[in-house]
Amino acid sequence: MTAPSTNTGAPDRRGPARYLWWVIVSQPQRIALGALLGSVWMVCLTLPPYILSRAIDDGLRPGNRTALMGWCAALFGIGLLNAWLAIMRHRTMTRIRLNAYFRTVRVVVDHATRLGAALPRRLSAGEVVTIGHSDVRVISQTLTVTGPGVGAVIAYFVVAALLLSVSALLAVVVLIGVPLLAVLIGPFLGRLQGAETAYRERQGTLAAILSDLAGGLRVLNGLGGKGVFAARYREGSRRLRDEGYRVGSSMSWVQAFGLGLPTLFLAAVTWLAARMAAQGTITVGELVAVYGYVAVLVLPVTFLIEGAYDIGRGLVAARRVVDFLNLAPGEWESAPRTEPVQGPKEPSVLRDPLSGVEVVPGLLTALVSTRASDAADVVDRLGRFAPSPATWGAVRLDAVALDEVRSRILVADNEADLFAGTLRAAISGRCAPDEEAIAHAVDAAVARDVVLGLPDGLDAPLDSHGRNLSGGQRQRVRLARAILADPEVLLAVDPTSAVDSHTEANMAAQLRAARKGRTTLVTSTSPLVLDQADTVYHLVDGRVTAIGSHADLLAADPDYRRLVSRGTTEDDQAEEQRTAQRPTLPDPAAEPSHEALR
């Protein structure tokens, strides 16, 4: 399956406000249409009170039936227009929100892809999920201010102008009263934003704990640590609940003021207009119009309050997104400070000066280390997932454009994730190969029994992380995916550690055949794998101490022999003790001793 061709452009990562502005200017025509429809709709809401006042003063009071019917028809027409404007405004704003939603999802997913294997080291899976779901939704909701929010500001001035035609005093009251409402609600909005920030941070922490708990449940059960993590999760849930109460408390005050203060304001202006009508300063129709204007003004004021609330939440969410987009595994992952150079055109040697390992093109190279982490560190440096002076041919690896490195050098991690979907999708990855290529990769990874063992074969669904497969089956699926990708250089970390000896020997032979003439590096301590390697590097404390074939190192390097043998040092010592305790039998071919002749 190919990714959509939509180009989101480069997001502005200099701050949350700049990011929100980038989301807005990324769809200028739709934003302009939403602001226009929202403004016209909001302004048209002020017309019914004016038409109603004319119907009273020109038709109802003088008894002019024709004028009354005309103004009633105009009122009906403006009602239909408002209904159509409301529908179109809602449709446009829905498109704006969806565009912002999927645009942010796309930049988050793209950056997660660029981080690749380094992402779990920098951020938990739960936090990424929270950003990609909760924060993205909040950001999209914030863009509502570009439609009804703009319209609310325009409607505020239109109502003030209409009231000015009735009474300068009423217009002044409205012009001063609405900003006063904003001043009164401002502190509660600031408090709400602070509570939202604390809640969001704790929510991310709790999601990380839940992800760790779910992902390592079997291991935790075996170690007896499930209760510890469960207690930690319960404590985190309690704290999150308390933060949620703080958010709810602040939100309740904002909503109460958002609804209550405009209503009180309406009552005050209506009372003032009623006194003016009783004194004969304004007509009855104008009194009705004033009431209608101020009643309509409640809606823009509510939109303004909600808009301020949405902007506060949007800034909190955008800050989380920007922090994520600014993540980098390290200086070695970011673009080089100088213009990136092109990698070697022909297959070339990969060298790691820190360890002394050299991966020769076209050969199967193996790393053996007393500590598995040392071999994994070498792979990280050769795959450009860790800082190092590693070279690729005549150039430094970190000087080559990262995209080129990723397209030509593949690190096949033994713990790489398998996403939910079909087995075919898990093996294919981003490729779209034919059935023959998939079958070849499956056979090379000795995974044919995995395919045959599932009800629908390659179309069988896989659970997240491949949990409906055994550890050995997952390992073979990962190897099939790496073989199918057919990179110029394959760096495989312990690709056979979870299978039995017979399957391991078959996998090693098939891997050598499938990668014949291609550059391959594997880390392993299995003699079945090492026997297939052209060159074996023995690492001690992260440095190469011996180089040769598996057979040569077995003969010449005792430390290597002890490391790759199936027995342990303790087993060898126990065997020596048992041998020493056995009774010694006489050798029939030996000369009889003097004691025996007596």
Side-chain angles (χ1 to χ4, degrees):
M1 184 179 69
T2 59
S5 59
T6 303
N7 183 15
T8 60
D12 194 331
R13 301 177 297 175
R14 290 176 292 177
R18 290 180 179 272
Y19 180 83
L20 290 179
W21 180 248
W22 172 79
V23 174
I24 292 173
V25 299
S26 297
Q27 42 178 335
Q29 296 180 349
R30 192 175 288 120
I31 291 290
L33 179 60
L36 176 63
L37 290 173
S39 300
V40 174
W41 170 69
M42 199 78 72
V43 170
C44 285
L45 291 178
T46 64
L47 296 180
Y50 173 78
I51 295 175
L52 185 59
S53 68
R54 301 309 302 169
I56 293 174
D57 290 341
D58 297 344
L60 189 61
R61 291 186 62 190
N64 188 338
R65 187 179 182 85
T66 302
L68 180 62
M69 294 300 295
W71 286 114
C72 288
L75 188 63
F76 179 76
I78 201 66
L80 292 178
L81 177 61
N82 278 340
W84 180 82
L85 288 171
I87 293 172
M88 298 307 297
R89 175 196 62 82
H90 182 73
R91 287 182 178 179
T92 303
M93 295 312 302
T94 299
R95 292 191 181 100
I96 290 173
R97 286 189 290 266
L98 288 176
N99 182 282
Y101 184 95
F102 289 112
R103 187 176 296 274
T104 302
V105 167
R106 183 63 183 271
V107 298
V108 169
V109 171
D110 286 349
H111 191 63
T113 303
R114 283 191 293 269
L115 291 173
L119 177 58
R121 308 171 190 170
R122 307 303 303 274
L123 209 62
S124 69
E127 178 67 6
V128 176
V129 171
T130 305
I131 291 173
H133 176 68
S134 177
D135 292 332
V136 169
R137 178 177 52 81
V138 171
I139 289 173
S140 67
Q141 184 63 34
T142 303
L143 264 67
T144 301
V145 300
T146 62
V150 174
V153 175
I154 295 176
Y156 160 68
F157 289 106
V158 169
V159 169
L162 290 172
L163 287 176
L164 185 61
S165 65
V166 176
S167 169
L169 177 60
L170 294 175
V172 170
V173 170
V174 169
L175 287 172
I176 296 177
V178 173
L180 183 60
L181 296 180
V183 171
L184 292 175
I185 297 177
F188 293 97
L189 291 174
R191 178 184 174 186
L192 178 59
Q193 184 174 351
E196 285 271 3
T197 301
Y199 179 83
R200 176 60 189 82
E201 291 176 353
R202 194 166 297 280
Q203 185 184 34
T205 302
L206 189 62
I209 295 176
L210 179 60
S211 178
D212 293 341
L213 182 62
L217 191 57
R218 292 182 180 178
V219 177
L220 291 173
N221 275 330
L223 298 177
K226 186 177 69 173
V228 176
F229 267 79
R232 186 181 301 175
Y233 183 77
R234 283 193 294 269
E235 176 63 19
S237 297
R238 184 189 64 78
R239 294 181 179 179
L240 182 64
R241 179 198 61 194
D242 294 341
E243 293 293 343
Y245 287 156
R246 286 187 57 204
V247 172
S249 174
S250 300
M251 187 181 299
S252 65
W253 280 106
V254 170
Q255 291 180 343
F257 277 107
L259 294 175
L261 289 181
T263 303
L264 293 176
F265 181 68
L266 169 64
V269 175
T270 303
W271 175 81
L272 182 60
R275 287 183 57 86
M276 296 174 68
Q279 296 170 358
T281 307
I282 61 175
T283 65
V284 175
E286 289 174 334
L287 172 62
V288 173
V290 169
Y291 176 82
Y293 295 150
V294 181
V296 169
L297 192 61
V298 172
L299 186 61
V301 172
T302 303
F303 268 118
L304 290 174
I305 295 173
E306 290 181 354
Y309 167 63
D310 288 340
I311 290 174
R313 296 185 66 210
L315 290 172
V316 173
R319 183 177 295 109
R320 302 296 301 179
V321 171
V322 168
D323 289 344
F324 174 75
L325 295 179
N326 285 327
L327 280 181
E331 294 181 0
W332 61 93
E333 279 291 354
S334 54
R337 297 181 181 179
T338 59
E339 188 69 21
V341 301
Q342 186 177 8
K345 295 182 179 180
E346 300 295 333
S348 302
V349 177
L350 270 174
R351 295 184 179 87
D352 176 36
L354 297 181
S355 64
V357 172
E358 293 187 359
V359 183
V360 180
L363 299 183
L364 175 59
T365 305
L367 295 185
V368 178
S369 176
T370 53
R371 291 194 301 261
S373 60
D374 289 340
D377 289 342
V378 174
V379 171
D380 280 347
R381 292 194 292 267
L382 293 177
R384 197 172 156 186
F385 286 104
S388 78
T391 59
W392 190 11
V395 300
R396 279 181 60 110
L397 186 63
D398 57 8
V400 182
L402 185 60
D403 289 343
E404 182 180 357
V405 174
R406 293 288 174 262
S407 65
R408 297 176 62 183
I409 301 176
L410 173 63
V411 175
D413 194 339
N414 189 33
E415 298 298 327
D417 280 334
L418 296 175
F419 298 104
T422 63
L423 179 60
R424 184 190 308 277
I427 295 176
S428 299
R430 63 180 179 180
C431 304
D434 55 23
E435 294 296 321
E436 184 178 352
I438 295 179
H440 173 72
V442 168
D443 291 337
V446 196
R448 177 62 57 185
D449 62 313
V450 179
V451 178
L452 297 177
L454 295 174
D456 297 318
L458 287 170
D459 295 318
L462 292 186
D463 295 342
S464 176
H465 302 288
R467 290 193 178 96
N468 54 334
L469 299 178
S470 68
Q473 289 175 329
R474 289 195 296 270
Q475 193 168 55
R476 284 178 282 166
V477 169
R478 294 187 186 104
L479 182 59
R481 178 170 60 187
I483 293 174
L484 183 61
D486 193 27
E488 179 182 324
V489 180
L490 174 62
L491 310 176
V493 179
D494 240 351
T496 63
S497 59
V499 298
D500 58 82
S501 298
H502 174 74
T503 303
E504 185 176 31
N506 198 3
M507 289 175 67
Q510 292 291 343
L511 176 62
R512 179 179 178 83
R515 295 287 299 173
K516 184 178 181 180
R518 309 285 278 172
T519 308
T520 308
L521 172 73
V522 296
T523 69
S524 179
T525 56
S526 167
L528 300 173
V529 176
L530 300 173
D531 192 44
Q532 295 290 337
D534 297 299
T535 305
V536 179
Y537 285 86
H538 181 204
L539 304 178
V540 176
D541 295 330
R543 294 287 303 175
V544 173
T545 59
I547 307 172
S549 68
H550 174 57
D552 292 340
L553 293 180
L554 280 177
D557 189 343
D559 293 334
Y560 176 85
R561 186 166 55 250
R562 282 192 294 270
L563 177 62
V564 302
S565 63
R566 292 299 185 181
T568 63
T569 303
E570 290 77 5
D571 292 337
D572 295 339
Q573 293 174 352
E575 180 63 24
E576 292 176 359
Q577 292 176 359
R578 287 193 296 269
T579 302
Q581 292 172 0
R582 293 186 188 131
T584 303
L585 299 178
D587 186 355
E591 291 290 334
S593 64
H594 292 290
E595 293 294 330
L597 292 175
R598 289 176 182 172

